[in-house]
Structure formats: structure tokens, C-alpha cells
Amino acid sequence: MADMTKAAARRKAPLETPTDLKSNAVRDVTAALNVLLADTFALYLKTKNFHWHVSGPHFRDYHLMFDEHGDQIFAMTDEIAERVRKIGGTTLRSIGNIARLQRVEDNDAEFVDPYDMLAELRDNTKDFIARMRETHDLCDEARDVATASLIENWIDQSERRLWFLYEASRSDRIG
């Protein structure tokens, strides 16, 4: 009977991962990372939407670029969520949770011109980078160097995507 009581108590125990970060730092960094995670999922889905629906003379180039970008963005989701868990927080649990937190606007249009796709993803990526920098500052304040380090890598990856989106969006308009 005692074993069953202990097992029942363990099932009800909160998810607590030991960390030396202060509880307010865990709370604040977790909250910021969960919003960043929601944005990451929203940006991923928009990128895949454009990958699936791009058309026109540069179809192959854009289709492949959006697919590559989508893979890179999706890879961030697990890293962000696992970082939240490593510091003792809990993470997103549903599409509804993502929708409530995301700052990246959805695009449900039937048709989007390829140049508009590039411009929209470029602007979303630029905003995404700025938000990661804000989260990095919060991590610095919380002395969470591991999360700050991950964010630095994500910023670098995102800046590369921004560069590609920028250059692709101006290719036919400068010649």
C-alpha cells in the first residue's frame, strides 16, 4: 500500500528540474522562450505554406529555399522547448497555446505573389531576430549563459535566412 501511495504522489509531483537559476529568472526566461517558441512555430508554418504554394518563374529556387529555411526553423523548436525544460520550466502544449502567444502574423491568403512571400518572410525574420535579441538581453540579466549562447546561434542562422530572403527579393528588380 505504501508503494502505491508513493507512486500516486510522484504522478502528481510538479515538473521540477533542478537549476541554480533564481526562480524569477526561470519564470521570466521560460515565459520569453515560450513566446519565442510560438513565434518559431508560426514562422515555420508560414514558411512551409509558402513552400507549398509558391509559383512562377523562380518556382524551383524559392521552393527549395523555403524548404531549407523551414527545416532550419523547425530544428529550433525542439532546442527551445528542451531549454525551457532544462531550466525547470514547462513549455507549450497545443496549437491553441501557440496561437495565444505568437507574434508572427498568419497568412491565410488563397494566393500570394512570390515577391510578396519573400518580403513577408524577410520582414518576419527581421522582427524575429529583434525579438531573439530582446530574449538574449533577458538571459544576460538572469545570468543564463547557456540560453544566451543558443540564442546567439539562432540569431546567426536567422540572419543568414534574412540575407537570402533579401537577396532573392531583389534579383529581378535590379537588372
Side-chain angles (χ1 to χ4, degrees):
M1 193 63 117
D3 288 339
M4 291 182 76
T5 305
K6 286 181 187 177
R10 280 194 303 270
R11 283 193 299 273
K12 292 181 183 179
L15 296 171
E16 291 184 17
T17 305
T19 182
D20 67 332
L21 294 174
K22 294 185 180 344
S23 62
N24 61 332
V26 170
R27 180 196 65 229
D28 294 348
V29 171
T30 293
L33 286 176
N34 276 325
V35 173
L36 192 61
L37 181 58
D39 284 344
T40 306
F41 274 118
L43 187 57
Y44 165 73
L45 191 54
K46 181 182 280 189
T47 302
K48 290 303 284 191
N49 171 29
F50 291 168
H51 161 77
W52 296 320
H53 295 103
V54 69
S55 62
H58 299 288
F59 166 79
R60 179 171 168 72
D61 292 335
Y62 298 161
H63 182 76
L64 293 174
M65 181 176 64
F66 293 158
D67 195 36
E68 178 184 314
H69 288 190
D71 288 347
Q72 292 169 3
I73 296 164
F74 187 73
M76 290 174 58
T77 62
D78 198 48
E79 293 177 353
I80 295 168
E82 288 186 358
R83 186 64 201 155
V84 168
R85 293 294 297 126
K86 286 177 192 176
I87 64 171
T90 58
T91 191
L92 304 178
R93 291 180 169 82
S94 68
I95 298 295
N97 199 183
I98 292 168
R100 286 186 295 277
L101 294 176
Q102 77 182 66
R103 298 166 292 188
V104 175
E105 287 188 32
D106 293 332
N107 185 326
D108 297 326
E110 232 2 80
F111 175 81
V112 180
D113 180 86
Y115 283 106
D116 291 337
M117 290 177 177
L118 292 166
E120 190 169 333
L121 288 173
R122 182 194 64 225
D123 293 346
N124 289 160
T125 301
K126 186 177 176 189
D127 292 343
F128 186 61
I129 292 166
R131 291 174 182 139
M132 283 191 286
R133 290 186 200 285
E134 291 169 3
T135 304
H136 187 281
D137 291 344
L138 176 68
C139 293
D140 283 346
E141 290 172 25
R143 301 190 49 183
D144 183 357
V145 296
T147 303
S149 178
L150 288 169
I151 291 171
E152 290 165 6
N153 290 324
W154 300 329
I155 289 171
D156 183 56
Q157 294 164 8
S158 298
E159 287 176 334
R160 184 176 189 272
R161 288 191 302 274
L162 178 61
W163 171 40
F164 274 58
L165 291 164
Y166 169 73
E167 290 298 340
S169 68
R170 55 187 227 121
S171 62
D172 282 351
R173 297 190 178 177
I174 51 177

